[in-house]
Amino acid sequence: MSSLLPADSAPMLVGGKLIDGGNGVFATINPATEEVLGQAADANTADLDTAITAARTAFDDTDWSRDHAFRAHCLRQLRTALEANIEELRAITVAEAGAPLMFTRGPQLEGPIADLEYAAGLAETYPWETDLGTAAPMGITSHRVVRREAVGVVGAITPWNFPHQINFAKLGPALAAGNTLVLKPAPDTPWCAAAVGVVIAEHTDIPAGVVNIVTSANHALGSILTEDPRVDMISFTGSTQTGRAVMRGAAANLKKAFLELGGKSAAIVLDDANLAAAVGVTAFSVSVHAGQGCALSTRLLVPRAAYDEAIEVAATTLRGIKPGDPNSPGTVCGPLISERQRTRVERYLEIARTEGGRIVVGGGRPAGQDRGYFIEPTLIADVPNSATVAREEIFGPVLVIIPHDGDDDAIRIANDSPYGLSGSVWGTDPARLRHVTDRVRTGTLSVNGGIWYSADAPFGGYKQSGIGREMGVAGFEEYLETKLISTAAG
């Protein structure tokens, strides 16, 4: 399929070499057709051990962590090489992740690659040392300097929904900060990561062992990576349930843990908003990439007086979005990633019916599509915020609409969630908008359609949506330690 990857199986990058897996290979599936795309290296525990050893050695025995200019050079090399292979990477991403073609020109591929320049710039310009001046604590004159240094070996565990965006959101800042890395991508999208490994090995000066990419069908390798004492930090993106397990594993040796987890974000429509625009945009966005995004607003809170009108606007929008071939330029809603994920979404739709919810539009598999893991964009009405489908992350093209009785009631409903990842607010009165944005407890908020995704903007959540921030200076600093050096000054 691609010259980046051999026709028989995709190798993984360990210790600077492209190698086969100790457990042989495992299949990667096209979720739009259910056909086997090919094979990926299936790592065993010995392969993971070799990768961790390589990362440890590269950090401890080389100047990688101290040579800021060289790291910037390597990151720019990587960006250039990825861009030179962009069409092959695009084909892999559409086929393996089911990502609609149009989104590979943004956050599914080209955007994250371009963001590597931001990481390279930080390596060059970040204030690695801060002079605190001279003081005399306990009567001893001392000159104090604060240094920021790399954490060490980072274990990165990533999901399948936005494989490049999340892989590079970890790889870029972790490397810019001077760390070495062991990346374990999701078993559903091994080729997306393996192709990057080939580019690193063949087209960059990144030293052996600095980046290791371990593909495997065995989820247990993530736990081993998390618990290994040679790993200084775990950076995990995935479900809240798995995040709890990662946190427990990291606690065994008190290593640093960054967690970007689930969401059940609310779009709040105030009574002075353009209802059609607010509802239409929210309904459209929940269908993007079949709703497989943790930061999508999947609860739509509308004024009670406009509830019926909002239902009609949302339903009309969703009826107009047809799940289809992600290779088609006009496709917005592609397939779910797997049969397992489609079964999960269908189970939630049945729960909604059981709990008294009304399926206004969608609610099942598209007629006439016998192959591929597709689900119709779906609107659920007439359920309270306490309903299962309003509280749990579904990860499918499913929108729940809930009426509110004014600004403070909307804030209450939005905050009545174990999550706090993202959301949006729609209205015209600046004072009311500020009142809402001040009180909604969530990590990112869009006001009237504002875009919060950017390389320089921190992303992360409150409550059970995670710990720490990714991207921006805040995300870069997650990968740093702080060292104070005090020298007697006479």
Side-chain angles (χ1 to χ4, degrees), residues 115-129:
D115 290 347
L116 291 172
E117 173 58 35
Y118 178 77
L122 280 176
E124 292 177 320
T125 63
Y126 185 76
W128 297 98
E129 192 167 293

Side-chain angles (χ1 to χ4, degrees), residues 18 102 109 123 133 139 166 259 285 353 412:
L18 296 171
M102 69 169 68
L109 181 63
I166 299 169
L259 305 174
S285 66
R353 295 181 178 97
R412 178 191 63 79

Side-chain angles (χ1 to χ4, degrees), residues 345-425:
V345 174
E346 289 175 328
R347 178 174 62 83
Y348 275 110
L349 296 177
E350 187 55 37
I351 289 172
R353 295 181 178 97
T354 301
E355 293 184 351
R358 172 164 57 105
I359 306 295
V360 180
V361 62
R365 303 181 185 187
Q369 287 181 297
D370 298 327
R371 304 288 290 176
Y373 308 123
F374 295 98
I375 286 285
E376 298 170 301
T378 299
L379 178 65
I380 301 174
D382 302 347
V383 294
N385 194 57
S386 59
T388 301
V389 291
R391 300 200 69 77
E392 298 185 9
E393 187 175 44
I394 297 173
F395 234 59
V398 181
L399 180 64
V400 178
I401 188 167
I402 300 171
H404 68 76
D405 295 309
D407 299 5
D408 288 339
D409 189 47
I411 294 166
R412 178 191 63 79
I413 295 170
N415 287 337
D416 181 18
S417 170
Y419 300 109
L421 186 55
S422 190
S424 62
V425 185

Side-chain angles (χ1 to χ4, degrees), residues 33-402:
T33 66
E34 304 182 40
E35 296 173 346
V36 174
L37 288 169
Q39 309 294 324
D42 194 2
N44 60 17
T45 56
D47 296 325
L48 180 62
D49 180 77
T50 301
I52 296 171
T53 299
R56 186 78 261 167
T57 300
F59 184 81
D60 292 340
D61 298 345
T62 76
D63 287 330
W64 172 258
S65 66
R66 291 172 289 277
D67 194 338
H68 310 318
F70 179 60
R71 298 199 305 275
H73 158 76
C74 288
L75 284 167
R76 292 194 174 105
Q77 257 191 337
L78 176 57
R79 175 188 172 179
T80 299
L82 291 167
E83 289 174 340
N85 290 277
I86 197 71
E87 294 310 321
E88 294 170 81
L89 290 166
R90 194 186 319 279
I92 291 170
T93 307
V94 173
E96 186 176 57
L101 181 66
M102 69 169 68
F103 301 122
T104 64
R105 307 189 189 284
Q108 278 286 12
L109 181 63
E110 293 186 24
I113 291 173
D115 290 347
L116 291 172
E117 173 58 35
Y118 178 77
L122 280 176
E124 292 177 320
T125 63
Y126 185 76
W128 297 98
E129 192 167 293
T130 303
D131 192 334
L132 293 185
T134 300
M138 293 181 282
I140 301 174
T141 303
S142 305
H143 181 243
R144 294 86 38 76
V145 172
V146 175
R147 291 182 188 166
R148 301 305 301 274
E149 299 179 344
V151 171
V153 175
V154 174
I157 304 172
T158 57
W160 41 261
N161 57 325
F162 282 79
H164 297 298
Q165 192 279 314
I166 299 169
N167 288 346
F168 291 138
K170 298 185 188 302
L171 184 149
L175 297 185
N179 300 281
T180 59
L181 188 81
V182 178
L183 169 64
K184 184 191 178 300
D188 302 273
T189 50
W191 276 11
C192 288
V196 174
V198 172
V199 171
I200 289 172
E202 297 181 349
H203 301 288
T204 77
D205 296 326
I206 294 174
V210 166
V211 178
N212 304 272
I213 299 175
V214 179
T215 58
S216 177
N218 183 2
H219 288 278
L221 291 191
S223 298
I224 296 170
L225 179 62
T226 298
E227 295 170 6
D228 194 295
R230 296 170 294 173
V231 176
D232 300 293
M233 175 182 174
I234 287 293
S235 182
F236 171 79
T237 298
S239 72
T240 296
Q241 180 181 359
T242 305
R244 293 189 187 100
V246 169
M247 197 170 184
R248 287 192 295 269
N253 41 53
L254 295 178
K255 70 184 56 169
K256 190 172 186 179
F258 165 80
L259 305 174
E260 195 276 286
L261 307 176
K264 195 68 182 180
S265 303
I268 298 174
V269 182
L270 305 182
D271 60 16
D272 64 343
N274 181 326
L275 185 76
V279 172
V281 168
T282 303
F284 177 87
S285 66
V286 84
S287 302
V288 168
H289 191 33
Q292 298 172 119
C294 56
L296 296 175
S297 291
T298 53
R299 290 183 296 155
L300 175 58
L301 314 184
V302 300
R304 191 174 298 276
Y307 183 58
D308 290 340
E309 181 184 355
I311 288 174
E312 184 53 39
V313 172
T316 299
T317 301
L318 293 172
R319 285 191 192 100
I321 300 172
K322 305 300 182 185
D325 181 0
N327 280 293
S328 173
T331 295
V332 170
C333 183
L336 297 173
I337 190 66
S338 64
E339 177 62 30
R340 179 182 66 256
Q341 182 61 22
R342 182 169 65 178
T343 299
R344 169 186 164 88
V345 174
E346 289 175 328
R347 178 174 62 83
Y348 275 110
L349 296 177
E350 187 55 37
I351 289 172
R353 295 181 178 97
T354 301
E355 293 184 351
R358 172 164 57 105
I359 306 295
V360 180
V361 62
R365 303 181 185 187
Q369 287 181 297
D370 298 327
R371 304 288 290 176
Y373 308 123
F374 295 98
I375 286 285
E376 298 170 301
T378 299
L379 178 65
I380 301 174
D382 302 347
V383 294
N385 194 57
S386 59
T388 301
V389 291
R391 300 200 69 77
E392 298 185 9
E393 187 175 44
I394 297 173
F395 234 59
V398 181
L399 180 64
V400 178
I401 188 167
I402 300 171

